[in-house]
Amino acid sequence: MDNEKKLVEQITPMDVDFAQWYTDIVKKAELIDYSSVRGCMIIRPYAYAMWENIQKDLDKRFKELGHENVYMPMFIPESLLQKEKDHVEGFAPEVAWVTQGGNEELTERLCVRPTSETLFCEHYAKVVQSYKDLPKLYNQWCSVVRWEKTTRPFLRTTEFLWQEGHTIHATKEEAEAETIQMLNVYADHAEQMLAMPVVRGQKTEKEKFAGAEATYTIEALMHDGKALQAGTSHYFGTNFAEAFGIQFSDKDGKLKHVHQTSWGFTTRSIGAIIMVHGDDNGLKMPPRIAPIQVVITPVAQHKEGVLDKARELKERISKIARVKLDDSDKMPGWKFAEYEMKGVPVRLEIGPKDIEKNQVVLVRRDTREKIVVSMDELETKIPALLDDIHNSMLEAAKAVRELKTSVAKTMDEFKDIVENKTGFVKAMWCGDRDCEDKIKEETGATSRCMPFAQENLSDTCVCCGKKAKHMVYWGRAY
């Protein structure tokens, strides 16, 4: 077991240095490699397979609701970006510009898309004439570029993968319903696929998306007590439609502007999975998006019949789960540690004695529990076990969030929690931007969201003591 010990020792314990623990895992679990381009990461096959499984589930959900996939250009002319003032101001510090093509200097700078609202708007203005053309429910899978000052794999990178939905509607009511519906799609995906509990709510005016009337968010809590914005959905009203002239002839014959939404979910979710579920031995992969759900590790595989039986089991299990057989000549202890590091939900051990007894040993990654199962029952036992692991991981993450969620009724309490406990702080707020700024300045905590599930913790604002309007989740964040 020395090899196993050595592999695990390569991970810095999360209680010693959480940031280094995270970096160790993304490297040693072979999720990413660093590239020669500042802030850009190479997504390795194991992590990309996670993203494909996330993408597959979300794409199915989108299409079931009537959305269609499209693709927009990577480059945006500067004049197009300038059309919506708040939008361009919000993104200006993060934009990368192309100024030269081949040997020629461009007559107009091209922005490498940080997001694609303006491109969709230009297109919609051309293709929409009548109410009969509405709604348009489009989604795009692509990469975007934002010139970040500090980067960290998955959480904040110069280029990242995402989907961005962009829809237009005849009425405010339809667009607002779409915005909330898509936020709920993200929340359901996070909990049903990633085993990650989230708080659903609305961003404050200060924290909303540039150019939006309202921004809604799902907020997750990481193991170190920091919050992570895991997905957002925006209602734009007619702001972009007016700037880009997106009009339609309504049933009453009058010309009206469309109401618009956008919503996005990114590879940042992989970072969230690591930080919500991982431990000092590596990843804990939520079974439903795990690239490998079951790994078969033969014991004493040099003995007659062991590998044959392992291959037979792989063939059977492949019909019910994503399975890998590791028949390499590495020592079993090394294999155990490697797949524990990679977070494979179930390890199946099979050796000569197991074959004699017509059984296998299943080992759970989440609890390390060993379960002896008859080979005749694998088709029923494995799917049930994967579901149980998912549910257990979701409940464990909820328990951590509960433990790290506190209530503050005064600024002194607020400061004490942020400094000594970490996690979400629930506190009342008057709605004044000055108080929001003061809280951030004095504690480093930002407003994460005004949750849909409001609670009346007190009648007064935690900061100024005036009448409170909202209960807000606050916290330090990634």
PDB file of all heavy atoms in Angstrom, residues 414-428:
ATOM      1  N   PHE A 414     -22.414  39.972  11.874  1.00  0.00           N
ATOM      2  CA  PHE A 414     -22.064  39.718  10.475  1.00  0.00           C
ATOM      3  C   PHE A 414     -20.546  39.583  10.328  1.00  0.00           C
ATOM      4  O   PHE A 414     -20.036  38.609   9.750  1.00  0.00           O
ATOM      5  CB  PHE A 414     -22.597  40.885   9.617  1.00  0.00           C
ATOM      6  CG  PHE A 414     -22.674  40.597   8.149  1.00  0.00           C
ATOM      7  CD1 PHE A 414     -23.888  40.626   7.495  1.00  0.00           C
ATOM      8  CD2 PHE A 414     -21.528  40.315   7.397  1.00  0.00           C
ATOM      9  CE1 PHE A 414     -23.976  40.372   6.126  1.00  0.00           C
ATOM     10  CE2 PHE A 414     -21.599  40.060   6.040  1.00  0.00           C
ATOM     11  CZ  PHE A 414     -22.831  40.088   5.401  1.00  0.00           C
ATOM     12  N   LYS A 415     -19.820  40.554  10.857  1.00  0.00           N
ATOM     13  CA  LYS A 415     -18.352  40.545  10.744  1.00  0.00           C
ATOM     14  C   LYS A 415     -17.748  39.324  11.429  1.00  0.00           C
ATOM     15  O   LYS A 415     -16.823  38.700  10.910  1.00  0.00           O
ATOM     16  CB  LYS A 415     -17.770  41.824  11.369  1.00  0.00           C
ATOM     17  CG  LYS A 415     -18.036  43.080  10.552  1.00  0.00           C
ATOM     18  CD  LYS A 415     -17.523  44.311  11.303  1.00  0.00           C
ATOM     19  CE  LYS A 415     -17.885  45.579  10.567  1.00  0.00           C
ATOM     20  NZ  LYS A 415     -17.527  46.796  11.322  1.00  0.00           N
ATOM     21  N   ASP A 416     -18.286  38.983  12.575  1.00  0.00           N
ATOM     22  CA  ASP A 416     -17.771  37.832  13.323  1.00  0.00           C
ATOM     23  C   ASP A 416     -17.956  36.534  12.536  1.00  0.00           C
ATOM     24  O   ASP A 416     -17.042  35.692  12.472  1.00  0.00           O
ATOM     25  CB  ASP A 416     -18.494  37.736  14.678  1.00  0.00           C
ATOM     26  CG  ASP A 416     -17.969  36.577  15.510  1.00  0.00           C
ATOM     27  OD1 ASP A 416     -16.762  36.566  15.825  1.00  0.00           O
ATOM     28  OD2 ASP A 416     -18.763  35.672  15.833  1.00  0.00           O
ATOM     29  N   ILE A 417     -19.127  36.382  11.908  1.00  0.00           N
ATOM     30  CA  ILE A 417     -19.404  35.168  11.122  1.00  0.00           C
ATOM     31  C   ILE A 417     -18.447  35.070   9.937  1.00  0.00           C
ATOM     32  O   ILE A 417     -17.841  34.029   9.689  1.00  0.00           O
ATOM     33  CB  ILE A 417     -20.873  35.150  10.648  1.00  0.00           C
ATOM     34  CG1 ILE A 417     -21.823  34.975  11.828  1.00  0.00           C
ATOM     35  CG2 ILE A 417     -21.098  34.029   9.623  1.00  0.00           C
ATOM     36  CD1 ILE A 417     -23.268  35.342  11.532  1.00  0.00           C
ATOM     37  N   VAL A 418     -18.318  36.169   9.198  1.00  0.00           N
ATOM     38  CA  VAL A 418     -17.475  36.153   7.994  1.00  0.00           C
ATOM     39  C   VAL A 418     -16.019  35.847   8.358  1.00  0.00           C
ATOM     40  O   VAL A 418     -15.335  35.100   7.654  1.00  0.00           O
ATOM     41  CB  VAL A 418     -17.583  37.496   7.233  1.00  0.00           C
ATOM     42  CG1 VAL A 418     -16.579  37.552   6.089  1.00  0.00           C
ATOM     43  CG2 VAL A 418     -18.994  37.673   6.677  1.00  0.00           C
ATOM     44  N   GLU A 419     -15.561  36.394   9.464  1.00  0.00           N
ATOM     45  CA  GLU A 419     -14.157  36.200   9.853  1.00  0.00           C
ATOM     46  C   GLU A 419     -13.895  34.815  10.454  1.00  0.00           C
ATOM     47  O   GLU A 419     -12.859  34.209  10.211  1.00  0.00           O
ATOM     48  CB  GLU A 419     -13.743  37.275  10.880  1.00  0.00           C
ATOM     49  CG  GLU A 419     -13.529  38.645  10.281  1.00  0.00           C
ATOM     50  CD  GLU A 419     -12.539  38.644   9.133  1.00  0.00           C
ATOM     51  OE1 GLU A 419     -11.464  38.004   9.237  1.00  0.00           O
ATOM     52  OE2 GLU A 419     -12.836  39.274   8.089  1.00  0.00           O
ATOM     53  N   ASN A 420     -14.828  34.327  11.238  1.00  0.00           N
ATOM     54  CA  ASN A 420     -14.542  33.127  12.037  1.00  0.00           C
ATOM     55  C   ASN A 420     -15.269  31.846  11.623  1.00  0.00           C
ATOM     56  O   ASN A 420     -14.829  30.756  11.967  1.00  0.00           O
ATOM     57  CB  ASN A 420     -14.865  33.417  13.513  1.00  0.00           C
ATOM     58  CG  ASN A 420     -14.021  34.564  14.047  1.00  0.00           C
ATOM     59  OD1 ASN A 420     -12.805  34.551  13.902  1.00  0.00           O
ATOM     60  ND2 ASN A 420     -14.658  35.562  14.640  1.00  0.00           N
ATOM     61  N   LYS A 421     -16.360  31.984  10.868  1.00  0.00           N
ATOM     62  CA  LYS A 421     -17.120  30.782  10.512  1.00  0.00           C
ATOM     63  C   LYS A 421     -17.037  30.464   9.021  1.00  0.00           C
ATOM     64  O   LYS A 421     -16.971  29.313   8.635  1.00  0.00           O
ATOM     65  CB  LYS A 421     -18.600  30.958  10.896  1.00  0.00           C
ATOM     66  CG  LYS A 421     -18.866  30.818  12.393  1.00  0.00           C
ATOM     67  CD  LYS A 421     -20.371  30.794  12.618  1.00  0.00           C
ATOM     68  CE  LYS A 421     -20.717  30.633  14.083  1.00  0.00           C
ATOM     69  NZ  LYS A 421     -22.175  30.660  14.305  1.00  0.00           N
ATOM     70  N   THR A 422     -17.064  31.485   8.187  1.00  0.00           N
ATOM     71  CA  THR A 422     -17.196  31.378   6.721  1.00  0.00           C
ATOM     72  C   THR A 422     -18.530  30.738   6.348  1.00  0.00           C
ATOM     73  O   THR A 422     -19.209  30.153   7.187  1.00  0.00           O
ATOM     74  CB  THR A 422     -16.050  30.585   6.049  1.00  0.00           C
ATOM     75  OG1 THR A 422     -16.195  29.185   6.327  1.00  0.00           O
ATOM     76  CG2 THR A 422     -14.704  31.070   6.470  1.00  0.00           C
ATOM     77  N   GLY A 423     -18.904  30.857   5.092  1.00  0.00           N
ATOM     78  CA  GLY A 423     -20.163  30.285   4.627  1.00  0.00           C
ATOM     79  C   GLY A 423     -21.163  31.370   4.264  1.00  0.00           C
ATOM     80  O   GLY A 423     -20.828  32.556   4.186  1.00  0.00           O
ATOM     81  N   PHE A 424     -22.404  30.961   4.031  1.00  0.00           N
ATOM     82  CA  PHE A 424     -23.475  31.913   3.746  1.00  0.00           C
ATOM     83  C   PHE A 424     -23.865  32.648   5.022  1.00  0.00           C
ATOM     84  O   PHE A 424     -23.949  32.051   6.095  1.00  0.00           O
ATOM     85  CB  PHE A 424     -24.727  31.189   3.225  1.00  0.00           C
ATOM     86  CG  PHE A 424     -24.669  30.789   1.771  1.00  0.00           C
ATOM     87  CD1 PHE A 424     -25.131  29.536   1.381  1.00  0.00           C
ATOM     88  CD2 PHE A 424     -24.205  31.652   0.796  1.00  0.00           C
ATOM     89  CE1 PHE A 424     -25.119  29.160   0.051  1.00  0.00           C
ATOM     90  CE2 PHE A 424     -24.177  31.281  -0.540  1.00  0.00           C
ATOM     91  CZ  PHE A 424     -24.640  30.029  -0.924  1.00  0.00           C
ATOM     92  N   VAL A 425     -24.146  33.941   4.870  1.00  0.00           N
ATOM     93  CA  VAL A 425     -24.729  34.715   5.966  1.00  0.00           C
ATOM     94  C   VAL A 425     -26.093  35.194   5.493  1.00  0.00           C
ATOM     95  O   VAL A 425     -26.200  35.881   4.469  1.00  0.00           O
ATOM     96  CB  VAL A 425     -23.867  35.939   6.348  1.00  0.00           C
ATOM     97  CG1 VAL A 425     -24.463  36.635   7.559  1.00  0.00           C
ATOM     98  CG2 VAL A 425     -22.431  35.533   6.611  1.00  0.00           C
ATOM     99  N   LYS A 426     -27.130  34.825   6.217  1.00  0.00           N
ATOM    100  CA  LYS A 426     -28.466  35.325   5.909  1.00  0.00           C
ATOM    101  C   LYS A 426     -28.698  36.568   6.767  1.00  0.00           C
ATOM    102  O   LYS A 426     -28.543  36.514   7.991  1.00  0.00           O
ATOM    103  CB  LYS A 426     -29.531  34.266   6.212  1.00  0.00           C
ATOM    104  CG  LYS A 426     -29.426  33.039   5.326  1.00  0.00           C
ATOM    105  CD  LYS A 426     -30.693  32.190   5.336  1.00  0.00           C
ATOM    106  CE  LYS A 426     -30.969  31.541   6.657  1.00  0.00           C
ATOM    107  NZ  LYS A 426     -32.062  30.528   6.574  1.00  0.00           N
ATOM    108  N   ALA A 427     -29.045  37.673   6.090  1.00  0.00           N
ATOM    109  CA  ALA A 427     -29.262  38.920   6.832  1.00  0.00           C
ATOM    110  C   ALA A 427     -30.242  39.804   6.072  1.00  0.00           C
ATOM    111  O   ALA A 427     -30.319  39.746   4.842  1.00  0.00           O
ATOM    112  CB  ALA A 427     -27.939  39.652   7.048  1.00  0.00           C
ATOM    113  N   MET A 428     -30.964  40.630   6.809  1.00  0.00           N
ATOM    114  CA  MET A 428     -31.940  41.541   6.212  1.00  0.00           C
ATOM    115  C   MET A 428     -31.247  42.772   5.638  1.00  0.00           C
ATOM    116  O   MET A 428     -30.200  43.204   6.129  1.00  0.00           O
ATOM    117  CB  MET A 428     -32.986  41.955   7.248  1.00  0.00           C
ATOM    118  CG  MET A 428     -33.733  40.794   7.891  1.00  0.00           C
ATOM    119  SD  MET A 428     -34.565  39.688   6.716  1.00  0.00           S
ATOM    120  CE  MET A 428     -35.903  40.743   6.133  1.00  0.00           C
TER     121      MET A 428
END
